[in-house]
Amino acid sequence: MHAVVDALGNGLHLVLTPGQQADSLQLPALLQALPEAPGAVVADKAYDTNNVLAAIANRNAESVIPPKKNRLDQRAYYENLYADRNKVERFFGRLKEARGFATRYEKTATSFLALAHLLAAIDWMR
């Protein structure tokens, strides 16, 4: 499950992919799904690829992604803004309060994604 949250931690867009698929492949599509360009994109090291950084630059947004240790050019990032990455973790934590989501009770991907959307809408109303 991939999610885009706003600065308050409210879910804006959800995408479900197979577990073996790389996280970084989804970020350009997630950015395109947003109605307006974000000011900054905060993500973890899994998203530190040239394609992701180019997609963020094309949207005129600041990338707040720490570089991987094996990257030759260790670029700087805004560490205080990176601390806000926990908002997406807290969003998933609130979704996992529902037992059916946490244990993936729904067997089909469509049903599971529908449950995630429903829980995100309920979370938005809190």
Side-chain angles (χ1 to χ4, degrees), residues 34-87:
L34 296 177
E36 56 188 47
V41 176
V42 182
D44 61 3
K45 289 183 182 185
Y47 292 92
D48 182 33
T49 65
N50 293 334
N51 290 338
V52 166
L53 295 174
I56 294 171
N58 287 341
R59 299 284 296 206
N60 296 324
E62 179 185 358
S63 65
V64 185
I65 303 172
K68 293 180 182 175
K69 287 186 177 186
N70 62 353
R71 187 174 271 281
L72 294 177
D73 57 336
Q74 292 289 314
R75 65 182 188 291
Y77 66 97
Y78 191 42
E79 293 182 21
N80 288 337
L81 189 56
Y82 181 71
D84 282 345
R85 190 182 69 82
N86 71 9
K87 290 182 181 175

Coordinates of all heavy atoms in Angstrom, one line a residue, residues 34-87:
L34 N -1.9 14.0 -7.8 CA -2.3 15.1 -7.0 C -2.8 16.2 -7.8 O -2.3 16.5 -8.9 CB -1.0 15.6 -6.2 CG -0.4 14.6 -5.2 CD1 0.8 15.1 -4.6 CD2 -1.5 14.3 -4.2
P35 N -3.8 17.0 -7.4 CA -4.4 18.0 -8.1 C -3.5 19.2 -8.3 O -3.6 19.9 -9.3 CB -5.7 18.4 -7.3 CG -5.4 17.9 -6.0 CD -4.5 16.8 -6.1
E36 N -2.6 19.5 -7.4 CA -1.6 20.6 -7.5 C -0.3 20.1 -7.0 O -0.2 19.1 -6.2 CB -2.1 21.8 -6.7 CG -2.3 21.6 -5.3 CD -2.9 22.8 -4.6 OE1 -3.9 23.4 -5.2 OE2 -2.5 23.2 -3.5
A37 N 0.8 20.7 -7.5 CA 2.1 20.3 -7.2 C 2.4 20.5 -5.7 O 2.0 21.6 -5.1 CB 3.1 21.1 -8.0
P38 N 3.0 19.6 -5.0 CA 3.4 19.8 -3.6 C 4.6 20.7 -3.5 O 5.4 20.9 -4.4 CB 3.7 18.4 -3.1 CG 4.2 17.7 -4.3 CD 3.4 18.3 -5.5
G39 N 4.7 21.3 -2.3 CA 5.9 22.2 -2.1 C 7.1 21.4 -1.8 O 8.2 21.7 -2.2
A40 N 6.9 20.2 -1.2 CA 8.0 19.3 -0.8 C 7.5 17.9 -0.8 O 6.4 17.6 -0.5 CB 8.7 19.7 0.5
V41 N 8.4 17.0 -1.2 CA 8.1 15.5 -1.1 C 9.0 14.9 -0.1 O 10.2 14.9 -0.3 CB 8.3 14.9 -2.5 CG1 8.0 13.4 -2.4 CG2 7.3 15.5 -3.5
V42 N 8.4 14.4 1.0 CA 9.2 13.8 2.0 C 9.0 12.3 1.9 O 7.9 11.8 1.9 CB 8.7 14.3 3.4 CG1 9.5 13.6 4.5 CG2 8.7 15.8 3.5
A43 N 10.1 11.5 1.8 CA 10.1 10.1 1.7 C 11.3 9.5 2.3 O 12.3 10.2 2.5 CB 9.9 9.7 0.2
D44 N 11.3 8.2 2.4 CA 12.5 7.5 3.0 C 13.5 7.1 2.0 O 13.3 7.4 0.8 CB 12.1 6.3 3.9 CG 11.3 5.2 3.1 OD1 11.2 5.4 1.9 OD2 10.9 4.3 3.7
K45 N 14.5 6.4 2.4 CA 15.6 6.1 1.5 C 15.3 5.2 0.3 O 15.9 5.2 -0.7 CB 16.8 5.5 2.3 CG 17.5 6.4 3.2 CD 18.7 5.7 3.8 CE 19.4 6.6 4.8 NZ 20.6 6.0 5.4
A46 N 14.2 4.5 0.5 CA 13.7 3.6 -0.6 C 13.4 4.3 -1.9 O 13.4 3.8 -3.0 CB 12.5 2.7 -0.1
Y47 N 13.1 5.6 -1.7 CA 12.7 6.4 -2.9 C 13.9 7.2 -3.4 O 13.7 8.1 -4.3 CB 11.6 7.4 -2.5 CG 10.3 6.7 -2.2 CD1 10.0 6.3 -0.9 CD2 9.4 6.4 -3.2 CE1 8.8 5.6 -0.6 CE2 8.2 5.8 -2.9 CZ 7.9 5.4 -1.6 OH 6.7 4.7 -1.4
D48 N 15.1 7.0 -3.0 CA 16.3 7.7 -3.5 C 16.8 7.1 -4.8 O 17.7 6.3 -4.8 CB 17.4 7.7 -2.4 CG 18.6 8.4 -2.8 OD1 18.4 9.4 -3.6 OD2 19.7 8.0 -2.5
T49 N 16.1 7.4 -5.9 CA 16.5 7.0 -7.2 C 16.5 8.2 -8.1 O 15.9 9.2 -7.8 CB 15.6 5.9 -7.8 OG1 14.3 6.5 -8.0 CG2 15.5 4.7 -6.9
N50 N 17.3 8.1 -9.2 CA 17.4 9.2 -10.1 C 16.0 9.5 -10.8 O 15.7 10.7 -11.0 CB 18.4 8.9 -11.2 CG 19.8 8.9 -10.6 OD1 20.1 9.5 -9.6 ND2 20.7 8.1 -11.3
N51 N 15.2 8.5 -11.1 CA 13.9 8.7 -11.7 C 13.0 9.4 -10.7 O 12.2 10.3 -11.1 CB 13.3 7.4 -12.1 CG 14.0 6.7 -13.2 OD1 14.7 7.4 -14.0 ND2 13.9 5.4 -13.3
V52 N 13.0 9.1 -9.4 CA 12.2 9.8 -8.5 C 12.6 11.2 -8.3 O 11.7 12.1 -8.3 CB 12.2 9.0 -7.1 CG1 11.6 9.8 -6.0 CG2 11.5 7.7 -7.2
L53 N 13.9 11.4 -8.2 CA 14.4 12.8 -8.0 C 14.0 13.7 -9.2 O 13.7 14.8 -9.1 CB 15.9 12.8 -7.8 CG 16.3 12.1 -6.4 CD1 17.8 12.0 -6.4 CD2 15.7 12.9 -5.2
A54 N 14.1 13.1 -10.4 CA 13.7 13.8 -11.6 C 12.2 14.1 -11.7 O 11.8 15.2 -12.1 CB 14.1 13.0 -12.9
A55 N 11.4 13.2 -11.2 CA 9.9 13.4 -11.2 C 9.6 14.5 -10.2 O 8.7 15.3 -10.5 CB 9.2 12.1 -10.8
I56 N 10.3 14.5 -9.1 CA 10.0 15.6 -8.1 C 10.5 16.9 -8.7 O 9.8 18.0 -8.5 CB 10.7 15.3 -6.8 CG1 10.1 14.0 -6.1 CG2 10.7 16.4 -5.8 CD1 10.9 13.5 -5.0
A57 N 11.6 17.0 -9.3 CA 12.1 18.2 -9.9 C 11.2 18.7 -11.0 O 11.0 19.9 -11.2 CB 13.5 18.0 -10.4
N58 N 10.6 17.8 -11.8 CA 9.7 18.2 -12.8 C 8.4 18.8 -12.3 O 7.8 19.6 -12.9 CB 9.3 17.0 -13.7 CG 10.4 16.5 -14.6 OD1 11.3 17.3 -14.9 ND2 10.3 15.3 -15.0
R59 N 8.0 18.5 -11.0 CA 6.9 19.1 -10.4 C 7.3 20.4 -9.6 O 6.5 20.9 -8.9 CB 6.2 18.1 -9.4 CG 5.7 16.8 -10.1 CD 4.4 17.1 -10.8 NE 3.4 17.5 -9.9 CZ 2.1 17.3 -10.1 NH1 1.7 16.7 -11.1 NH2 1.2 17.7 -9.2
N60 N 8.5 20.8 -9.7 CA 9.0 22.0 -9.0 C 8.8 21.9 -7.5 O 8.4 22.9 -6.9 CB 8.4 23.3 -9.6 CG 8.7 23.5 -11.0 OD1 9.8 23.2 -11.4 ND2 7.8 24.0 -11.8
A61 N 9.1 20.7 -7.0 CA 9.0 20.5 -5.6 C 10.4 20.2 -5.0 O 11.3 19.8 -5.7 CB 8.0 19.3 -5.3
E62 N 10.5 20.4 -3.7 CA 11.7 20.1 -3.0 C 11.7 18.6 -2.6 O 10.8 18.1 -2.1 CB 11.9 21.0 -1.8 CG 13.1 20.7 -1.0 CD 13.1 21.5 0.3 OE1 12.2 22.3 0.6 OE2 14.1 21.3 1.1
S63 N 12.8 17.9 -2.9 CA 12.9 16.5 -2.4 C 13.6 16.5 -1.1 O 14.7 17.0 -0.9 CB 13.7 15.7 -3.5 OG 15.0 16.1 -3.5
V64 N 12.9 15.9 -0.1 CA 13.4 15.7 1.2 C 13.5 14.2 1.4 O 12.8 13.5 2.1 CB 12.5 16.3 2.3 CG1 13.1 16.2 3.6 CG2 12.2 17.8 1.9
I65 N 14.6 13.7 0.7 CA 14.8 12.2 0.8 C 16.3 12.0 1.1 O 17.2 12.5 0.4 CB 14.5 11.6 -0.6 CG1 13.1 11.8 -1.0 CG2 14.8 10.1 -0.6 CD1 12.8 11.4 -2.4
P66 N 16.6 11.3 2.2 CA 18.0 11.1 2.5 C 18.7 10.2 1.5 O 18.0 9.3 1.0 CB 18.0 10.5 3.9 CG 16.6 9.9 4.0 CD 15.7 10.7 3.2
P67 N 19.9 10.5 1.1 CA 20.6 9.7 0.1 C 21.0 8.3 0.7 O 21.3 8.2 1.9 CB 21.8 10.5 -0.2 CG 22.1 11.4 1.0 CD 20.7 11.6 1.6
K68 N 21.0 7.3 -0.1 CA 21.4 6.0 0.3 C 23.0 6.1 0.5 O 23.6 6.9 -0.1 CB 21.2 5.0 -0.8 CG 19.7 4.7 -1.0 CD 19.5 3.7 -2.1 CE 18.0 3.5 -2.4 NZ 17.8 2.6 -3.5
K69 N 23.5 5.2 1.3 CA 24.9 5.2 1.6 C 25.8 4.9 0.4 O 26.9 5.4 0.3 CB 25.2 4.2 2.7 CG 24.7 4.6 4.1 CD 25.2 3.7 5.2 CE 24.8 4.2 6.5 NZ 25.3 3.4 7.6
N70 N 25.2 4.1 -0.5 CA 26.0 3.8 -1.7 C 26.0 4.8 -2.8 O 26.6 4.6 -3.9 CB 25.6 2.4 -2.2 CG 24.2 2.3 -2.7 OD1 23.4 3.3 -2.5 ND2 23.8 1.2 -3.3
R71 N 25.2 5.9 -2.7 CA 25.1 6.9 -3.7 C 26.5 7.7 -3.7 O 27.0 8.1 -2.6 CB 24.0 7.9 -3.4 CG 23.7 8.9 -4.5 CD 22.5 9.7 -4.2 NE 21.3 9.1 -4.8 CZ 20.9 9.2 -6.1 NH1 21.7 9.8 -6.9 NH2 19.8 8.6 -6.5
L72 N 27.0 8.0 -4.9 CA 28.3 8.7 -5.0 C 28.2 10.1 -4.6 O 29.1 10.6 -3.9 CB 28.8 8.6 -6.4 CG 29.2 7.2 -6.9 CD1 29.6 7.2 -8.3 CD2 30.2 6.6 -6.0
D73 N 27.1 10.8 -5.0 CA 26.9 12.2 -4.6 C 26.0 12.3 -3.4 O 24.8 12.2 -3.5 CB 26.4 13.1 -5.7 CG 25.1 12.6 -6.3 OD1 24.8 11.4 -6.2 OD2 24.4 13.4 -6.9
Q74 N 26.5 12.4 -2.2 CA 25.7 12.5 -1.0 C 25.1 13.9 -0.9 O 25.8 14.8 -0.4 CB 26.6 12.2 0.2 CG 27.0 10.7 0.3 CD 25.9 9.8 0.6 OE1 25.1 10.0 1.5 NE2 25.8 8.7 -0.1
R75 N 23.9 14.1 -1.4 CA 23.3 15.4 -1.4 C 22.7 15.7 0.0 O 22.4 14.8 0.8 CB 22.2 15.5 -2.5 CG 21.1 14.6 -2.2 CD 20.1 14.7 -3.4 NE 18.9 14.0 -2.9 CZ 18.9 12.7 -2.8 NH1 19.9 11.9 -3.1 NH2 17.8 12.1 -2.4
A76 N 22.6 17.0 0.3 CA 22.0 17.4 1.6 C 20.5 17.4 1.5 O 19.9 17.5 0.4 CB 22.5 18.8 1.9
Y77 N 19.9 17.2 2.6 CA 18.4 17.3 2.7 C 18.0 18.0 4.0 O 18.8 18.0 4.9 CB 17.8 15.9 2.6 CG 18.1 15.0 3.8 CD1 17.2 14.8 4.8 CD2 19.3 14.3 3.8 CE1 17.5 14.0 5.9 CE2 19.6 13.5 4.9 CZ 18.7 13.3 5.9 OH 19.1 12.5 6.9
Y78 N 16.8 18.5 4.1 CA 16.4 19.3 5.2 C 15.9 18.3 6.3 O 14.8 17.8 6.2 CB 15.3 20.2 4.7 CG 14.8 21.2 5.7 CD1 15.7 21.9 6.5 CD2 13.5 21.5 5.9 CE1 15.3 22.9 7.4 CE2 13.1 22.5 6.8 CZ 14.0 23.2 7.5 OH 13.6 24.1 8.4
E79 N 16.7 18.1 7.3 CA 16.4 17.1 8.3 C 15.2 17.4 9.2 O 14.5 16.5 9.6 CB 17.7 16.8 9.2 CG 18.8 16.2 8.4 CD 20.0 15.9 9.3 OE1 19.9 15.8 10.5 OE2 21.1 15.8 8.7
N80 N 15.0 18.7 9.4 CA 13.8 19.0 10.2 C 12.5 18.7 9.5 O 11.5 18.3 10.1 CB 13.8 20.5 10.6 CG 14.9 20.8 11.7 OD1 15.3 19.9 12.4 ND2 15.3 22.0 11.7
L81 N 12.5 19.0 8.2 CA 11.3 18.6 7.4 C 11.2 17.1 7.2 O 10.1 16.6 7.2 CB 11.4 19.3 6.0 CG 10.2 19.2 5.2 CD1 8.9 19.8 5.9 CD2 10.4 20.0 3.9
Y82 N 12.3 16.4 7.2 CA 12.3 14.9 7.1 C 11.6 14.3 8.3 O 11.0 13.2 8.2 CB 13.7 14.4 6.9 CG 13.7 12.9 6.8 CD1 13.2 12.3 5.6 CD2 14.2 12.1 7.8 CE1 13.3 10.9 5.5 CE2 14.3 10.7 7.7 CZ 13.8 10.1 6.5 OH 13.8 8.8 6.4
A83 N 11.7 15.0 9.5 CA 11.1 14.5 10.7 C 9.5 14.4 10.5 O 8.9 13.6 11.2 CB 11.4 15.3 11.9
D84 N 9.0 15.1 9.6 CA 7.5 15.0 9.3 C 7.1 13.8 8.6 O 5.9 13.5 8.4 CB 7.0 16.2 8.5 CG 6.9 17.5 9.4 OD1 6.9 17.3 10.6 OD2 6.8 18.6 8.9
R85 N 8.1 12.9 8.2 CA 7.7 11.7 7.5 C 6.9 10.8 8.4 O 6.2 9.9 7.9 CB 9.0 11.0 7.0 CG 8.8 9.8 6.1 CD 10.1 9.1 5.7 NE 10.7 8.4 6.9 CZ 10.3 7.2 7.3 NH1 9.4 6.6 6.7 NH2 10.9 6.7 8.3
N86 N 7.0 11.0 9.7 CA 6.2 10.1 10.6 C 4.7 10.3 10.4 O 3.9 9.5 10.9 CB 6.6 10.3 12.0 CG 6.2 11.6 12.6 OD1 5.4 12.4 12.0 ND2 6.7 11.9 13.8
K87 N 4.3 11.4 9.7 CA 2.9 11.6 9.5 C 2.2 10.5 8.7 O 1.1 10.1 8.9 CB 2.6 12.9 8.9 CG 2.9 14.0 9.9 CD 2.6 15.4 9.4 CE 3.0 16.4 10.4 NZ 2.9 17.8 10.0

